[in-house]
Amino acid sequence: MSVLVNKNTRLLVQGYTGAQGTFHATQSINYGTTVVGGVTPGKGGTQHLDRPVFNTVADCVKETGANASVIFVPPPFAADSIMEAADAGVALIVCITEGIPVRDMIAVKQFLKDKNVRLIGPNCPGIITPNECRIGIMPGHIFKPGNIGVVSRSGTLTYEAVGQLSALGIGQSTCIGIGGDPIIGTTHLDAIQLLNADPDTHAIIMVGEIGGNNEEIAAAWIKDNVTKPVIGFIAGQTAPEGRRMGHAGAIVAGGSGKAEDKMAAMTAAGITVCATPAEIGQKVKERLGL
Amino acid sequence: MKIHEYQGKAILARYGVPVPKGKVAFTVEEAEAAARELGGFVVVKAQIHAGGRGKGGGVKVVKTVEDAVAAAQKILGMQLVTHQTGPQGQKVGRLLVEEALPIEKELYLGITLDRASGKNVFMASSEGGMEIEEVAHHTPEKILKEVIEPGIGLSGYQARKLAFGIGIPAASVNAAAKAMIALAKAYDEIDCSLAEINPFILLKDGRVMALDAKINIDDNAMFRHPEFAELRDLAEEDPLEVEASKFSLNYIKLDGNIACMVNGAGLAMATMDIVKYAGGEPANFLDVGGGANEEQIKNAFRILLSDAAVKAVFINIFGGILRCDILATGVVNAARELGISVPIVIRMEGTNVAEGKKILAESGFNFGVADGMKDGAEQVVRAAQ
């Protein structure tokens, strides 16, 4: 009952021996994720967190059979790390790094086009299938296995929604943090298509924010293709135009990317749009008739 | 990062985009010298980051050096109010003095990212000199677009297509196409996040030129361009925002009276929204980040409280990486050190929440502890009244 990651996921960590990589790899190991090793160029052949370190992703994949990677590499080198993972054939690449230049992501997007890999992020909290696999930086203990799929551009709003669900006794199938940057590997639409096809996902929470029109694109598809209940929220209803609200992609510019337009498109698609994030859990409960 | 028109033009000129002859002036004397050098028939332009300068009285065309001096005296130091500055306006500290040119036609060129395709798009329009958003809204067919292929750039045929399409006469098309290709190259190489030439002008003698330049640089790419650091004009930024940026805090000043301190950009936006929903007005956006430490919490607090408009503070934290006990300790220490003059409502959830609440309860301060975001927002709105 999940998408993309489960107990068979074999995770490698890029930027494994750094502070962030070490901290979150440890958290993932403690959560029960199968972490098979990591990559730090120049430290190949050593051990870290009782697992092998490799100089290249290709070596790591060859030796460990890793099928997913999480990237904790600083912004100037993160795009290169994504491409290295893709070139090594890692099927799922999750990039946590915040602050990658747009120009680098334009190149990455081109590079990934003819590769059979999926990128989640960058600038995202990661992806989790409760009690099976945690990839990223989210606090694992708030999640609970179940049947609600969650897709969100924001980390803490994901936690907010999940915290409410778990408190109501409603578990999650898979939660995907797609990231707050203008160019991301997996969009709302991609994530919703995956969750819609998963028989064990019974309802979907879609959390968006100002900037771009990915929410509108997803809403249009939902209208024609999704019969599962979808509950949504858009952050930034009071954000001033022309200012970047923390996330590089969260900006209303030239009259586009407004919260009201997204909410209207979602409502028109039959999505239950919450006025505030405080009611997300309750609305899910109502839509499911629990 | 936004940069001034004269800085943008200097960069574009290096790439081969034709720009008028001009000089920056920080004083009336410098403006006078520039006007004299350029022959007296000049344009005196206020250099602020906001658009709409002409309508606000920040741009004057003059025929003589004397008139240029008078214009410089008037514009330098004025609070220039445009539709983008807000009612308080922006103080003018610099001028661009440029040769005045006989304009045949005003056009528009721009480049921005198309998020869906993950590629940059070059836009051109015959409707120069107007707000491009207005053109896009009323006559979208008058904006022509060409996708810039990564690794290739704007091709000659694309530039010619745009040039012919916006009505540039055949004799000037090659020059216009060259300028467009140069603009696209500059955009890529200096990591722009936005470039607009409005207007891009056709002169009576057939030459083309960038009469304005609005260039924004991707903040995330500044590590590649250390030389651009000096282009930042702190006078254009809110002093509290400048202070916050020193501590890696994401702070944006707003007009309300309820200060917000939140972790995570999405939750920070949603917190502003819910304050408004509860009938209040947020004083700021503040994302302290996922891994904030005590020191950052303290500085965040200090910055929030230095906004004189603030009547109450709402702290909304979903502790993941940031543990609630760390947050609570930071808040209590900051409150002790800085002294609290306004009510504070705290809502926290997540890692170590029980320890965090205990620290708050035992601190001796009368913090409002909220049960959920909605309750917190309602409490803080009441407290601010």
Side-chain angles (χ1 to χ4, degrees):
Chain A
M1 16 191 258
S2 60
V3 300
L4 296 174
V5 298
N6 55 37
K7 54 186 179 310
N8 299 320
T9 301
R10 297 174 64 77
L11 181 67
L12 77 89
V13 181
Q14 288 173 263
Y16 188 40
T17 56
Q20 290 287 313
T22 301
F23 180 80
H24 289 293
T26 306
Q27 299 278 314
S28 285
I29 291 165
N30 293 343
Y31 193 77
T33 310
T34 307
V35 176
V36 295
V39 175
T40 297
K43 293 198 177 163
T46 62
Q47 291 273 313
H48 185 63
L49 307 176
D50 298 324
R51 287 154 176 84
V53 184
F54 299 88
N55 286 324
T56 67
V57 177
D59 287 349
C60 183
V61 168
K62 199 170 137 206
E63 296 296 321
T64 66
N67 55 17
S69 174
V70 62
I71 296 173
F72 292 102
V73 170
F77 319 107
D80 180 63
S81 295
I82 297 171
M83 294 190 281
E84 182 181 3
D87 187 57
V90 179
L92 179 71
I93 303 162
V94 181
C95 185
I96 307 302
T97 309
E98 175 172 10
I100 303 178
V102 167
R103 172 155 59 125
D104 294 5
M105 283 309 300
I106 290 176
V108 165
K109 187 139 181 157
Q110 287 295 111
F111 187 85
L112 296 184
K113 234 170 34 186
D114 56 352
K115 308 264 186 311
N116 190 23
V117 300
R118 170 173 297 281
L119 171 67
I120 295 178
N123 190 11
C124 78
I127 175 170
I128 184 167
T129 293
N131 286 7
E132 295 192 30
C133 179
R134 169 199 183 270
I135 301 181
I137 58 173
M138 63 289 270
H141 65 87
I142 65 169
F143 296 84
K144 179 181 155 72
N147 304 102
I148 311 296
V150 180
V151 49
S152 171
R153 275 165 76 180
S154 149
T156 40
L157 273 180
T158 308
Y159 313 158
E160 183 71 43
V162 166
Q164 290 172 27
L165 290 179
S166 296
L168 290 167
I170 304 170
Q172 305 89 41
S173 52
T174 300
C175 303
I176 310 171
I178 58 175
D181 272 3
I183 298 182
I184 50 177
T186 297
T187 62
H188 272 113
L189 176 61
D190 300 329
I192 281 163
Q193 287 176 334
L194 292 167
L195 292 167
N196 191 48
D198 173 34
D200 292 312
T201 296
H202 299 167
I204 299 167
I205 293 177
M206 169 181 168
V207 179
E209 62 193 31
I210 54 164
N213 64 348
N214 275 335
E215 289 86 350
E216 287 93 324
I217 293 169
W221 191 83
I222 288 168
K223 190 176 185 180
D224 296 334
N225 299 283
V226 180
T227 52
K228 298 176 184 183
V230 182
I231 295 86
F233 173 72
I234 298 293
Q237 297 165 44
T238 55
E241 180 153 356
R243 301 298 309 267
R244 250 168 237 288
M245 306 304 284
H247 284 156
I251 180 167
V252 176
S256 86
K258 288 183 186 157
E260 59 191 75
D261 296 342
K262 294 173 188 292
M263 291 163 79
M266 288 161 71
T267 304
I271 298 169
T272 302
V273 180
C274 302
T276 80
E279 57 192 54
I280 294 174
Q282 198 55 40
K283 292 282 184 199
V284 171
K285 201 174 158 188
E286 285 168 20
R287 283 290 302 265
L288 289 175
L290 295 171
Chain B
M1 184 181 77
K2 291 180 179 174
I3 62 174
H4 286 295
E5 174 194 359
Y6 77 92
Q7 297 165 330
K9 280 178 170 170
I11 293 170
L12 293 182
R14 285 208 295 277
Y15 280 88
V17 178
V19 300
K21 285 191 206 99
K23 273 200 157 166
V24 64
F26 291 80
T27 63
V28 174
E29 292 70 37
E30 285 174 10
E32 181 181 7
R36 181 157 291 127
E37 194 182 314
L38 294 166
F41 185 25
V42 295
V43 189
V44 180
K45 302 177 88 175
Q47 297 294 287
I48 61 169
H49 286 171
R53 292 167 296 167
K55 281 188 197 135
V59 179
K60 295 261 181 273
V61 184
V62 295
K63 294 239 161 75
T64 66
V65 174
E66 291 69 37
D67 288 351
V69 169
Q73 276 167 341
K74 191 154 178 250
I75 299 173
L76 256 185
M78 79 185 282
Q79 283 296 126
L80 181 53
V81 179
T82 81
H83 68 288
Q84 288 183 359
T85 59
Q88 76 286 354
Q90 174 64 40
K91 190 171 180 180
V92 181
R94 318 170 182 197
L95 301 171
L96 174 61
V97 181
E98 254 181 12
E99 60 174 330
L101 294 159
I103 299 170
E104 173 69 25
K105 204 165 188 257
E106 296 195 3
L107 308 152
Y108 168 93
L109 303 180
I111 305 178
T112 191
L113 174 70
D114 174 48
R115 296 189 190 201
S117 64
K119 294 174 184 176
N120 292 316
V121 175
F122 201 110
M123 296 171 293
S125 174
S126 55
E127 309 301 296
M130 296 167 59
E131 282 288 315
I132 199 65
E133 289 82 14
E134 291 293 309
V135 181
H137 185 71
H138 296 292
T139 48
E141 71 282 359
K142 288 189 174 163
I143 300 178
L144 310 182
K145 294 179 182 176
E146 288 291 324
V147 172
I148 303 175
E149 285 304 326
I152 296 173
L154 187 72
S155 289
Y157 80 90
Q158 293 178 299
R160 289 192 300 275
K161 204 158 115 190
L162 292 171
F164 280 117
I166 60 174
I168 291 177
S172 299
V173 158
N174 280 344
K178 209 175 142 212
M180 290 180 193
I181 292 166
L183 176 63
K185 188 168 193 287
Y187 188 95
D188 181 51
E189 289 187 4
I190 65 171
D191 280 290
C192 287
S193 54
L194 178 77
E196 278 192 317
I197 310 295
N198 192 15
F200 179 69
I201 53 167
L202 175 68
L203 299 179
K204 298 232 183 269
D205 62 10
R207 287 183 297 158
V208 292
M209 252 177 215
L211 202 60
D212 195 4
K214 181 176 174 188
I215 303 284
N216 294 359
I217 295 165
D218 183 353
D219 292 307
N220 288 343
M222 285 297 285
F223 68 86
R224 276 202 279 258
H225 309 284
E227 72 281 9
F228 288 166
E230 66 183 36
L231 301 185
R232 187 173 173 195
D233 182 0
L234 294 180
E236 288 281 337
E237 299 175 36
D238 184 279
L240 288 181
E241 293 182 13
V242 175
E243 182 67 12
S245 68
K246 291 181 196 159
F247 303 99
S248 310
L249 296 165
N250 244 315
Y251 173 91
I252 294 173
K253 171 108 173 61
L254 302 169
D255 295 330
N257 59 10
I258 295 172
C260 302
M261 181 157 114
V262 191
N263 65 329
L267 191 61
M269 278 187 268
T271 302
M272 289 164 36
D273 296 347
I274 204 167
V275 164
K276 180 104 176 178
Y277 194 75
E281 286 291 337
N284 66 280
F285 166 94
L286 173 61
D287 169 15
V288 296
N293 55 33
E294 258 192 73
E295 193 61 22
Q296 273 176 305
I297 300 282
K298 201 175 83 187
N299 282 306
F301 221 95
R302 183 173 55 76
I303 289 161
L304 289 183
L305 293 177
S306 55
D307 176 355
V310 166
K311 293 269 187 298
V313 180
F314 184 20
I315 300 178
N316 184 18
I317 301 288
F318 203 108
I321 308 315
L322 173 62
R323 286 168 16 213
C324 292
D325 53 327
I326 299 267
L327 170 84
T329 308
V331 169
V332 169
N333 287 346
R336 283 213 180 100
E337 209 168 302
L338 305 166
I340 308 184
S341 49
V342 296
I344 295 171
V345 176
I346 303 176
R347 179 272 175 153
M348 52 188 187
E349 207 59 66
T351 312
N352 293 1
V353 65
E355 291 89 329
K357 284 190 174 164
K358 189 157 169 273
I359 291 166
L360 293 179
E362 291 170 358
S363 68
F365 290 104
N366 186 22
F367 297 118
V369 178
D371 181 25
M373 250 178 110
K374 185 160 174 276
D375 179 46
E378 286 165 358
Q379 277 195 39
V380 79
V381 169
R382 274 199 303 275
Q385 277 162 1

